[in-house]
Amino acid sequence: MGDVRQLRQIRPVEPLWREVLGTRLRQLRRHRRMTLTNTAAIAGISPQYLSEIERGRKDPSSEIVAAVAGALGFTLTEVTDLTVRDLRRETFATAPRGPVALAA
């Protein structure tokens, strides 16, 4: 257990997929100038659920992500690609620089 704590001190925790996805969906929705209520209605989900997705509190199924993406005028593939790019960018930004010594 001590090894895990030491590793976390050396290497920052990567962002969760659901958090990065939620941030990306919120950015796309705002870029389209759509409200949470309108987007949720088109996607067939509640505004509360969409809000929880955007805040990274829920881990939606691929069907839900596809529905929200479609409501915003994107495909599941496009949203996934953008999210992966965001995740790589965030992971790279928090990645340790230089040599890393791990506890044995």
XYZ file of all heavy atoms in Angstrom:
814
model
N 0.824 -1.191 0.000
C 0.000 0.000 0.000
C 0.869 1.256 0.000
O 0.560 2.208 -0.651
C -0.930 -0.031 1.215
C -1.895 1.113 1.213
S -3.370 0.680 0.329
C -4.553 1.270 1.466
N 1.974 1.224 0.740
C 2.875 2.367 0.766
C 3.459 2.654 -0.603
O 3.704 3.799 -0.950
N 3.695 1.602 -1.393
C 4.246 1.782 -2.737
C 3.308 2.581 -3.620
O 3.737 3.396 -4.416
C 4.536 0.427 -3.385
C 5.676 -0.314 -2.699
O 6.496 0.352 -2.024
O 5.736 -1.537 -2.844
N 1.996 2.347 -3.485
C 1.012 3.069 -4.287
C 1.021 4.550 -3.927
O 1.002 5.416 -4.798
C -0.406 2.473 -4.102
C -1.459 3.336 -4.782
C -0.457 1.051 -4.627
N 1.078 4.849 -2.644
C 1.111 6.255 -2.225
C 2.379 6.942 -2.729
O 2.346 8.073 -3.168
C 1.022 6.358 -0.701
C -0.402 6.279 -0.222
C -0.509 6.580 1.253
N -1.122 5.407 1.851
C -0.700 4.781 2.920
N 0.342 5.218 3.572
N -1.307 3.721 3.376
N 3.502 6.234 -2.654
C 4.754 6.805 -3.146
C 4.679 7.049 -4.643
O 5.145 8.070 -5.136
C 5.925 5.874 -2.831
C 6.293 5.846 -1.379
C 7.366 4.813 -1.073
O 7.626 3.919 -1.864
N 8.002 4.941 0.089
N 4.091 6.118 -5.379
C 3.966 6.265 -6.822
C 3.107 7.473 -7.164
O 3.417 8.229 -8.073
C 3.370 4.996 -7.448
C 3.221 4.980 -8.958
C 4.587 5.174 -9.630
C 2.609 3.673 -9.416
N 2.016 7.684 -6.430
C 1.149 8.841 -6.694
C 1.859 10.153 -6.412
O 1.575 11.154 -7.034
C -0.135 8.744 -5.874
C -1.075 7.706 -6.419
C -2.382 7.729 -5.730
N -3.252 6.712 -6.334
C -4.372 6.304 -5.820
N -4.804 6.823 -4.690
N -5.097 5.392 -6.413
N 2.778 10.145 -5.451
C 3.540 11.354 -5.170
C 4.495 11.661 -6.313
O 4.725 12.807 -6.646
C 4.313 11.201 -3.866
C 3.428 11.194 -2.646
C 4.201 10.876 -1.376
O 5.387 10.581 -1.415
N 3.512 10.929 -0.251
N 5.033 10.622 -6.920
C 5.976 10.798 -8.020
C 5.235 11.129 -9.305
O 5.640 11.997 -10.055
C 6.817 9.517 -8.230
C 7.703 9.281 -7.014
C 7.656 9.614 -9.490
C 8.395 7.930 -7.015
N 4.118 10.442 -9.545
C 3.400 10.562 -10.805
C 1.978 11.053 -10.555
O 1.210 10.391 -9.866
C 3.369 9.186 -11.455
C 2.848 9.163 -12.832
C 3.066 7.793 -13.380
N 2.508 7.707 -14.702
C 2.499 6.625 -15.411
N 2.995 5.518 -14.933
N 1.987 6.609 -16.602
N 1.607 12.210 -11.084
C 0.261 12.728 -10.864
C -0.805 11.770 -11.406
O -0.564 11.040 -12.362
C 0.235 14.038 -11.657
C 1.656 14.354 -11.957
C 2.409 13.066 -11.928
N -1.957 11.790 -10.783
C -3.065 10.955 -11.218
C -3.601 11.500 -12.541
O -3.820 12.701 -12.687
C -4.181 10.948 -10.154
C -5.364 10.137 -10.620
C -3.645 10.417 -8.840
N -3.783 10.603 -13.507
C -4.321 11.019 -14.803
C -5.789 11.408 -14.653
O -6.489 10.856 -13.808
C -4.206 9.882 -15.808
C -2.789 9.534 -16.170
C -2.731 8.342 -17.117
O -3.474 7.374 -16.891
O -1.955 8.407 -18.064
N -6.259 12.321 -15.493
C -7.682 12.678 -15.448
C -8.530 11.488 -15.888
O -8.097 10.656 -16.682
C -7.802 13.837 -16.442
C -6.601 13.726 -17.322
C -5.530 13.057 -16.518
N -9.722 11.406 -15.352
C -10.639 10.338 -15.730
C -11.269 10.630 -17.083
O -11.527 11.787 -17.426
C -11.746 10.184 -14.682
C -11.295 9.745 -13.295
C -12.486 9.764 -12.341
C -10.657 8.378 -13.347
N -11.540 9.572 -17.836
C -12.188 9.684 -19.144
C -13.493 10.474 -19.019
O -13.764 11.375 -19.799
C -12.451 8.292 -19.710
C -13.355 8.285 -20.887
C -14.702 8.035 -20.884
C -13.013 8.569 -22.242
N -15.203 8.135 -22.160
C -14.189 8.462 -23.006
C -11.823 8.901 -22.877
C -14.210 8.673 -24.382
C -11.849 9.111 -24.243
C -13.028 9.000 -24.979
N -14.310 10.134 -18.026
C -15.621 10.783 -17.894
C -15.496 12.281 -17.637
O -16.329 13.057 -18.075
C -16.461 10.096 -16.824
C -15.996 10.297 -15.420
C -16.985 9.707 -14.413
N -16.579 10.029 -13.086
C -16.140 9.140 -12.208
N -16.076 7.867 -12.540
N -15.782 9.523 -11.009
N -14.440 12.694 -16.945
C -14.233 14.113 -16.690
C -13.835 14.852 -17.966
O -14.349 15.941 -18.252
C -13.167 14.312 -15.612
C -13.574 13.780 -14.263
C -12.446 13.757 -13.253
O -11.262 13.881 -13.637
O -12.759 13.596 -12.068
N -12.923 14.267 -18.717
C -12.461 14.889 -19.961
C -13.599 14.906 -20.987
O -13.815 15.906 -21.672
C -11.209 14.160 -20.501
C -10.743 14.772 -21.820
C -10.088 14.206 -19.462
N -14.349 13.807 -21.077
C -15.500 13.738 -21.974
C -16.531 14.800 -21.602
O -17.041 15.515 -22.474
C -16.136 12.349 -21.925
C -17.465 12.191 -22.662
C -17.279 12.354 -24.166
C -18.097 10.847 -22.325
N -16.843 14.914 -20.337
C -17.830 15.903 -19.890
C -17.431 17.323 -20.233
O -18.244 18.121 -20.713
N -16.165 17.636 -20.000
C -15.661 18.968 -20.334
C -15.779 19.226 -21.831
O -16.206 20.299 -22.264
C -14.197 19.117 -19.881
O -14.143 18.952 -18.465
C -13.624 20.474 -20.266
N -15.432 18.223 -22.636
C -15.507 18.369 -24.095
C -16.954 18.558 -24.537
O -17.243 19.416 -25.376
C -14.873 17.153 -24.769
C -15.051 17.074 -26.273
C -14.684 18.330 -27.014
N -13.272 18.612 -26.970
C -12.724 19.667 -27.576
N -13.471 20.508 -28.287
N -11.437 19.889 -27.501
N -17.879 17.775 -24.003
C -19.289 17.915 -24.392
C -19.824 19.298 -24.025
O -20.547 19.919 -24.802
C -20.143 16.821 -23.742
C -19.935 15.407 -24.296
C -20.705 14.395 -23.465
C -20.348 15.332 -25.765
N -19.452 19.800 -22.851
C -19.891 21.141 -22.451
C -19.331 22.197 -23.416
O -20.044 23.109 -23.837
C -19.457 21.450 -21.029
C -19.847 22.890 -20.622
C -19.458 23.230 -19.208
N -20.363 22.556 -18.308
C -19.984 21.883 -17.224
N -18.708 21.805 -16.902
N -20.865 21.312 -16.445
N -18.056 22.046 -23.786
C -17.450 22.998 -24.724
C -18.183 22.976 -26.073
O -18.465 24.038 -26.640
C -15.977 22.676 -24.940
C -15.099 22.979 -23.763
C -13.676 22.454 -23.941
O -13.399 21.656 -24.839
N -12.776 22.884 -23.067
N -18.484 21.793 -26.566
C -19.182 21.681 -27.848
C -20.583 22.275 -27.767
O -21.025 22.972 -28.683
C -19.257 20.212 -28.288
C -17.917 19.544 -28.633
C -18.119 18.053 -28.867
C -17.261 20.211 -29.830
N -21.264 22.004 -26.664
C -22.625 22.546 -26.495
C -22.598 24.064 -26.445
O -23.393 24.745 -27.106
C -23.253 21.977 -25.215
C -24.670 22.496 -24.954
C -25.287 21.884 -23.727
N -24.558 22.130 -22.500
C -24.555 23.284 -21.831
N -25.243 24.328 -22.277
N -23.872 23.417 -20.698
N -21.686 24.610 -25.696
C -21.598 26.074 -25.604
C -21.174 26.697 -26.932
O -21.650 27.772 -27.288
C -20.634 26.464 -24.487
C -21.212 26.195 -23.118
C -20.263 26.589 -22.024
N -20.888 26.460 -20.717
C -20.234 26.533 -19.583
N -18.929 26.758 -19.572
N -20.878 26.393 -18.438
N -20.279 26.012 -27.642
C -19.856 26.491 -28.955
C -21.058 26.563 -29.907
O -21.155 27.481 -30.725
C -18.767 25.595 -29.528
C -18.289 26.018 -30.883
N -17.475 27.116 -31.063
C -18.520 25.509 -32.109
C -17.226 27.261 -32.355
N -17.846 26.293 -33.013
N -21.954 25.606 -29.792
C -23.173 25.583 -30.618
C -24.251 26.521 -30.082
O -25.321 26.635 -30.657
C -23.748 24.167 -30.687
C -22.856 23.154 -31.351
C -23.007 23.223 -32.838
N -22.468 22.012 -33.455
C -21.734 22.016 -34.534
N -21.426 23.152 -35.126
N -21.286 20.892 -35.036
N -23.970 27.142 -28.937
C -24.915 28.059 -28.280
C -26.244 27.370 -27.971
O -27.323 27.936 -28.175
C -25.131 29.317 -29.100
C -23.865 30.129 -29.288
C -24.095 31.330 -30.169
N -22.833 31.944 -30.498
C -22.427 33.101 -29.990
N -23.179 33.749 -29.139
N -21.265 33.602 -30.345
N -26.130 26.142 -27.484
C -27.303 25.365 -27.121
C -27.420 25.308 -25.600
O -26.406 25.270 -24.901
C -27.218 23.948 -27.694
C -27.277 23.914 -29.217
S -27.123 22.250 -29.887
C -28.681 21.541 -29.375
N -28.635 25.286 -25.116
C -28.845 25.176 -23.679
C -28.756 23.713 -23.255
O -28.912 22.799 -24.072
C -30.224 25.720 -23.266
O -31.234 24.882 -23.837
C -30.409 27.171 -23.710
N -28.551 23.526 -21.992
C -28.518 22.192 -21.423
C -29.868 21.502 -21.642
O -29.925 20.345 -22.061
C -28.211 22.307 -19.923
C -27.784 21.065 -19.189
C -26.379 20.664 -19.590
C -27.837 21.307 -17.693
N -30.941 22.233 -21.402
C -32.295 21.681 -21.536
C -32.597 21.289 -22.973
O -33.118 20.198 -23.237
C -33.339 22.705 -21.037
O -33.017 23.033 -19.679
C -34.740 22.156 -21.109
N -32.255 22.150 -23.912
C -32.517 21.878 -25.321
C -31.707 20.676 -25.804
O -32.228 19.788 -26.476
C -32.188 23.126 -26.151
C -32.542 22.962 -27.603
O -31.788 22.336 -28.339
N -33.670 23.526 -28.015
N -30.438 20.648 -25.459
C -29.567 19.545 -25.877
C -30.054 18.224 -25.301
O -30.123 17.212 -26.008
C -28.109 19.808 -25.437
O -27.697 21.083 -25.936
C -27.172 18.729 -25.942
N -30.404 18.235 -24.026
C -30.892 17.019 -23.372
C -32.182 16.530 -24.026
O -32.352 15.324 -24.248
C -31.105 17.271 -21.885
N -33.083 17.452 -24.350
C -34.351 17.070 -24.991
C -34.106 16.404 -26.341
O -34.712 15.380 -26.659
C -35.249 18.295 -25.149
N -33.208 16.959 -27.124
C -32.902 16.384 -28.438
C -32.249 15.007 -28.276
O -32.544 14.080 -29.030
C -31.986 17.331 -29.252
C -32.743 18.623 -29.573
C -31.500 16.658 -30.529
C -31.858 19.726 -30.129
N -31.396 14.865 -27.259
C -30.699 13.602 -27.020
C -31.599 12.552 -26.367
O -31.261 11.374 -26.357
C -29.466 13.838 -26.151
N -32.720 13.005 -25.812
C -33.637 12.068 -25.163
C -33.241 11.688 -23.750
O -33.552 10.589 -23.279
N -32.555 12.600 -23.073
C -32.168 12.372 -21.677
C -32.603 13.573 -20.851
O -32.996 14.612 -21.399
C -30.648 12.130 -21.530
C -29.839 13.344 -22.003
C -30.228 10.871 -22.273
C -28.334 13.225 -21.770
N -32.532 13.455 -19.540
C -32.930 14.579 -18.687
C -31.812 15.617 -18.628
O -30.627 15.272 -18.731
C -33.250 14.093 -17.273
O -32.065 13.736 -16.588
N -32.175 16.877 -18.428
C -31.149 17.920 -18.270
C -30.241 17.642 -17.068
O -29.051 17.939 -17.106
C -31.950 19.206 -18.062
C -33.298 18.916 -18.612
C -33.523 17.441 -18.437
N -30.799 17.068 -16.018
C -30.005 16.751 -14.829
C -28.918 15.725 -15.162
O -27.778 15.858 -14.709
C -30.898 16.207 -13.700
C -31.866 17.226 -13.147
C -33.149 17.362 -13.994
O -33.389 16.614 -14.934
N -33.953 18.353 -13.655
N -29.303 14.718 -15.945
C -28.322 13.689 -16.321
C -27.233 14.287 -17.207
O -26.044 14.018 -17.000
C -29.022 12.520 -17.016
C -28.123 11.343 -17.297
C -27.324 10.783 -16.305
C -28.060 10.780 -18.564
C -26.493 9.698 -16.558
C -27.235 9.687 -18.827
C -26.458 9.162 -17.822
O -25.637 8.088 -18.083
N -27.615 15.115 -18.169
C -26.618 15.764 -19.024
C -25.691 16.637 -18.193
O -24.476 16.651 -18.409
C -27.282 16.580 -20.136
C -26.329 17.307 -21.078
C -25.323 16.356 -21.715
C -27.111 18.049 -22.159
N -26.239 17.338 -17.227
C -25.422 18.168 -16.350
C -24.408 17.321 -15.585
O -23.231 17.694 -15.463
C -26.308 18.931 -15.359
O -25.516 19.646 -14.434
N -24.838 16.168 -15.093
C -23.929 15.282 -14.374
C -22.848 14.726 -15.298
O -21.697 14.569 -14.893
C -24.706 14.149 -13.712
C -25.529 14.628 -12.533
C -26.333 13.516 -11.889
O -26.786 12.591 -12.603
O -26.508 13.581 -10.671
N -23.209 14.444 -16.537
C -22.213 13.983 -17.517
C -21.184 15.084 -17.753
O -19.971 14.841 -17.718
C -22.891 13.581 -18.848
C -23.731 12.318 -18.660
C -21.838 13.375 -19.947
C -24.625 11.997 -19.851
N -21.659 16.305 -17.984
C -20.754 17.420 -18.266
C -19.831 17.726 -17.094
O -18.719 18.205 -17.282
C -21.548 18.669 -18.647
C -22.165 18.602 -20.021
C -22.811 19.908 -20.438
O -22.874 20.868 -19.619
O -23.269 19.992 -21.595
N -20.280 17.466 -15.877
C -19.449 17.712 -14.692
C -18.560 16.527 -14.350
O -17.808 16.574 -13.374
C -20.335 18.068 -13.495
C -20.956 19.451 -13.642
C -21.811 19.827 -12.442
N -23.058 19.049 -12.487
C -23.624 18.462 -11.436
N -23.080 18.555 -10.249
N -24.749 17.787 -11.566
N -18.629 15.456 -15.167
C -17.781 14.294 -14.944
C -18.235 13.420 -13.795
O -17.471 12.620 -13.274
N -19.489 13.552 -13.398
C -20.020 12.768 -12.278
C -20.587 11.422 -12.712
O -20.702 10.507 -11.921
C -21.107 13.554 -11.557
C -20.662 14.902 -11.047
C -20.345 14.839 -9.567
N -19.692 16.037 -9.114
C -20.287 16.997 -8.442
N -21.561 16.895 -8.168
N -19.603 18.036 -8.036
N -20.997 11.329 -13.971
C -21.566 10.093 -14.511
C -20.684 9.566 -15.626
O -20.062 10.330 -16.356
C -22.986 10.320 -15.050
C -23.999 10.715 -14.010
C -24.309 9.560 -13.092
C -25.372 9.973 -12.084
N -25.668 8.918 -11.145
N -20.676 8.255 -15.765
C -19.912 7.585 -16.818
C -20.935 7.038 -17.816
O -21.409 5.913 -17.660
C -19.083 6.468 -16.201
C -17.907 6.061 -17.046
O -17.764 6.594 -18.163
O -17.133 5.216 -16.591
N -21.298 7.834 -18.822
C -22.383 7.438 -19.722
C -22.003 6.302 -20.658
O -20.832 6.122 -20.994
C -22.661 8.716 -20.516
C -21.343 9.418 -20.537
C -20.706 9.106 -19.205
N -23.016 5.561 -21.088
C -22.802 4.495 -22.075
C -22.483 5.123 -23.425
O -22.721 6.320 -23.651
C -24.061 3.636 -22.195
O -25.108 4.395 -22.772
N -21.982 4.304 -24.324
C -21.670 4.803 -25.668
C -22.948 5.266 -26.374
O -22.903 6.205 -27.178
C -20.947 3.743 -26.488
O -21.723 2.573 -26.596
N -24.073 4.644 -26.072
C -25.343 5.050 -26.680
C -25.731 6.462 -26.245
O -26.193 7.260 -27.055
C -26.473 4.068 -26.313
C -26.343 2.717 -26.972
C -25.453 1.744 -26.190
O -24.900 2.116 -25.135
O -25.301 0.601 -26.655
N -25.526 6.759 -24.970
C -25.841 8.102 -24.466
C -24.888 9.123 -25.058
O -25.304 10.210 -25.482
C -25.787 8.134 -22.916
C -26.873 7.224 -22.321
C -25.908 9.556 -22.391
C -28.301 7.657 -22.612
N -23.599 8.803 -25.109
C -22.627 9.723 -25.707
C -22.981 9.975 -27.166
O -22.941 11.118 -27.630
C -21.179 9.200 -25.570
C -20.191 10.140 -26.262
C -20.803 9.023 -24.107
N -23.370 8.931 -27.881
C -23.765 9.084 -29.285
C -24.998 9.972 -29.412
O -25.073 10.805 -30.325
C -24.026 7.717 -29.914
N -25.945 9.816 -28.500
C -27.160 10.637 -28.539
C -26.838 12.106 -28.281
O -27.353 12.998 -28.975
C -28.179 10.126 -27.518
N -25.999 12.373 -27.302
C -25.618 13.761 -27.004
C -24.793 14.335 -28.150
O -25.020 15.472 -28.583
C -24.854 13.853 -25.661
C -24.341 15.272 -25.417
C -25.732 13.397 -24.505
N -23.862 13.551 -28.663
C -23.048 13.997 -29.800
C -23.953 14.336 -30.977
O -23.793 15.388 -31.616
C -22.036 12.920 -30.190
N -24.911 13.467 -31.275
C -25.837 13.709 -32.373
C -26.668 14.964 -32.158
O -26.909 15.726 -33.096
N -27.086 15.193 -30.918
C -27.854 16.404 -30.602
C -27.031 17.660 -30.863
O -27.577 18.717 -31.169
C -28.320 16.367 -29.145
N -25.721 17.524 -30.746
C -24.825 18.662 -30.973
C -24.319 18.740 -32.413
O -23.541 19.626 -32.756
C -23.627 18.568 -30.014
C -23.966 18.653 -28.522
C -22.744 18.324 -27.679
C -24.509 20.029 -28.185
N -24.738 17.786 -33.240
C -24.324 17.807 -34.641
C -22.998 17.120 -34.904
O -22.347 17.388 -35.919
N -22.590 16.235 -34.006
C -21.345 15.498 -34.153
C -21.632 14.009 -34.148
O -22.701 13.579 -33.734
C -20.376 15.828 -33.001
C -19.866 17.230 -33.016
C -20.541 18.236 -32.332
C -18.720 17.561 -33.710
C -20.085 19.539 -32.344
C -18.248 18.867 -33.725
C -18.938 19.861 -33.046
N -20.660 13.224 -34.572
C -20.772 11.770 -34.485
C -20.069 11.296 -33.217
O -19.261 12.038 -32.622
C -20.122 11.073 -35.700
O -18.703 11.325 -35.656
C -20.712 11.558 -37.017
N -20.357 10.079 -32.838
C -19.681 9.479 -31.696
C -18.175 9.437 -31.942
O -17.376 9.735 -31.048
C -20.217 8.066 -31.438
C -19.539 7.260 -30.337
C -19.697 7.939 -28.987
C -20.110 5.847 -30.296
N -17.789 9.107 -33.155
C -16.368 9.040 -33.507
C -15.693 10.400 -33.354
O -14.583 10.483 -32.822
C -16.190 8.527 -34.951
O -16.830 7.260 -35.068
C -14.736 8.399 -35.337
N -16.357 11.460 -33.798
C -15.768 12.798 -33.684
C -15.585 13.197 -32.219
O -14.528 13.719 -31.840
C -16.641 13.822 -34.405
C -16.621 13.677 -35.911
C -17.681 14.518 -36.608
O -18.790 14.699 -36.051
O -17.382 14.984 -37.720
N -16.604 12.956 -31.406
C -16.511 13.324 -29.989
C -15.443 12.479 -29.294
O -14.665 12.988 -28.490
C -17.884 13.186 -29.292
C -17.753 13.291 -27.780
C -18.840 14.247 -29.809
N -15.390 11.197 -29.629
C -14.374 10.323 -29.044
C -12.978 10.794 -29.427
O -12.080 10.867 -28.582
C -14.592 8.863 -29.488
O -15.895 8.453 -29.072
C -13.558 7.940 -28.892
N -12.786 11.131 -30.692
C -11.485 11.607 -31.163
C -11.073 12.889 -30.433
O -9.933 13.012 -29.972
C -11.512 11.834 -32.673
C -10.160 12.256 -33.220
O -9.167 11.550 -32.948
O -10.092 13.290 -33.914
N -11.983 13.833 -30.310
C -11.684 15.084 -29.612
C -11.350 14.828 -28.143
O -10.430 15.435 -27.588
C -12.864 16.059 -29.728
C -13.111 16.638 -31.111
C -14.461 17.357 -31.155
C -11.992 17.574 -31.514
N -12.091 13.914 -27.527
C -11.859 13.591 -26.121
C -10.501 12.925 -25.925
O -9.778 13.242 -24.979
C -12.988 12.690 -25.579
O -14.240 13.354 -25.782
C -12.807 12.405 -24.096
N -10.143 12.030 -26.824
C -8.832 11.376 -26.746
C -7.724 12.419 -26.896
O -6.734 12.396 -26.163
C -8.699 10.258 -27.800
C -7.259 9.790 -27.935
C -9.608 9.094 -27.453
N -7.889 13.339 -27.802
C -6.884 14.412 -27.963
C -6.755 15.232 -26.686
O -5.655 15.562 -26.257
C -7.258 15.316 -29.129
C -7.103 14.673 -30.476
C -7.502 15.627 -31.572
N -7.598 14.946 -32.846
C -7.690 15.568 -34.002
N -7.710 16.886 -34.043
N -7.774 14.876 -35.115
N -7.909 15.573 -26.081
C -7.894 16.331 -24.829
C -7.204 15.533 -23.730
O -6.403 16.084 -22.966
C -9.320 16.675 -24.381
C -10.034 17.627 -25.320
O -9.361 18.314 -26.124
O -11.278 17.688 -25.255
N -7.507 14.253 -23.657
C -6.918 13.387 -22.637
C -5.412 13.292 -22.819
O -4.652 13.391 -21.853
C -7.555 11.999 -22.699
C -7.186 11.015 -21.604
C -7.556 11.557 -20.233
C -7.869 9.684 -21.846
N -4.970 13.139 -24.051
C -3.526 13.091 -24.314
C -2.859 14.406 -23.922
O -1.775 14.408 -23.339
C -3.271 12.812 -25.790
C -3.474 11.380 -26.173
C -3.091 11.135 -27.617
N -3.304 9.742 -27.950
C -3.788 9.328 -29.108
N -4.095 10.193 -30.044
N -3.960 8.051 -29.322
N -3.499 15.502 -24.240
C -2.941 16.818 -23.919
C -2.843 16.989 -22.399
O -1.818 17.428 -21.884
C -3.813 17.907 -24.539
C -3.196 19.262 -24.573
C -3.951 20.306 -25.415
N -5.350 20.064 -25.673
C -5.848 19.619 -26.844
N -5.051 19.368 -27.851
N -7.141 19.439 -27.012
N -3.894 16.615 -21.672
C -3.880 16.745 -20.213
C -2.885 15.786 -19.581
O -2.197 16.141 -18.638
C -5.276 16.504 -19.632
C -6.209 17.665 -19.872
C -7.511 17.533 -19.107
O -7.479 17.009 -17.978
O -8.535 17.953 -19.633
N -2.810 14.570 -20.092
C -1.880 13.586 -19.562
C -0.448 14.033 -19.819
O 0.406 13.935 -18.945
C -2.129 12.197 -20.184
O -3.474 11.809 -19.908
C -1.182 11.170 -19.631
N -0.195 14.555 -21.016
C 1.148 15.043 -21.345
C 1.522 16.215 -20.444
O 2.651 16.317 -19.983
C 1.231 15.463 -22.809
C 2.596 15.945 -23.209
C 3.640 15.049 -23.396
C 2.848 17.295 -23.377
C 4.912 15.495 -23.742
C 4.118 17.743 -23.719
C 5.142 16.842 -23.908
N 0.564 17.091 -20.175
C 0.831 18.273 -19.345
C 1.175 17.888 -17.905
O 1.930 18.583 -17.248
C -0.356 19.216 -19.369
N 0.609 16.761 -17.419
C 0.865 16.361 -16.043
C 1.925 15.269 -15.932
O 2.271 14.863 -14.841
C -0.420 15.845 -15.372
O -0.908 14.713 -16.101
C -1.476 16.930 -15.312
N 2.439 14.807 -17.072
C 3.436 13.725 -17.051
C 4.738 14.233 -16.453
O 5.153 15.371 -16.694
C 3.674 13.208 -18.468
N 5.386 13.403 -15.671
C 6.663 13.812 -15.094
C 7.722 13.990 -16.177
O 7.712 13.285 -17.187
C 7.017 12.663 -14.156
C 6.219 11.494 -14.628
C 5.008 12.054 -15.311
N 8.585 14.923 -15.978
C 9.668 15.188 -16.918
C 10.945 14.558 -16.376
O 11.202 14.581 -15.177
C 9.875 16.696 -17.097
C 8.645 17.444 -17.569
C 8.339 17.102 -19.022
N 7.342 17.990 -19.581
C 6.056 17.712 -19.680
N 5.589 16.581 -19.233
N 5.210 18.549 -20.228
N 11.763 14.053 -17.254
C 13.035 13.484 -16.838
C 12.897 12.080 -16.298
O 11.834 11.489 -16.343
N 13.982 11.537 -15.754
C 13.951 10.172 -15.255
C 13.032 10.050 -14.035
O 12.922 10.964 -13.239
C 15.402 9.875 -14.882
C 16.072 11.185 -14.815
C 15.272 12.166 -15.619
N 12.390 8.889 -13.941
C 11.495 8.620 -12.825
C 11.976 7.365 -12.124
O 12.207 6.336 -12.761
C 10.039 8.417 -13.322
C 9.138 8.018 -12.170
C 9.541 9.660 -14.005
N 12.145 7.439 -10.808
C 12.543 6.273 -10.036
C 11.318 5.712 -9.333
O 10.623 6.436 -8.627
C 13.606 6.673 -9.012
N 11.053 4.448 -9.566
C 9.927 3.798 -8.911
C 10.434 2.981 -7.745
O 11.505 2.387 -7.790
C 9.183 2.883 -9.896
C 8.598 3.574 -11.125
C 7.953 2.538 -12.034
C 7.580 4.617 -10.708
N 9.639 2.949 -6.694
C 10.015 2.159 -5.511
C 9.955 0.679 -5.856
O 9.053 0.230 -6.544
C 9.076 2.479 -4.355
N 10.915 -0.071 -5.393
C 10.956 -1.523 -5.677
C 10.218 -2.305 -4.634
O 9.955 -1.926 -3.584
C 12.396 -1.990 -5.758
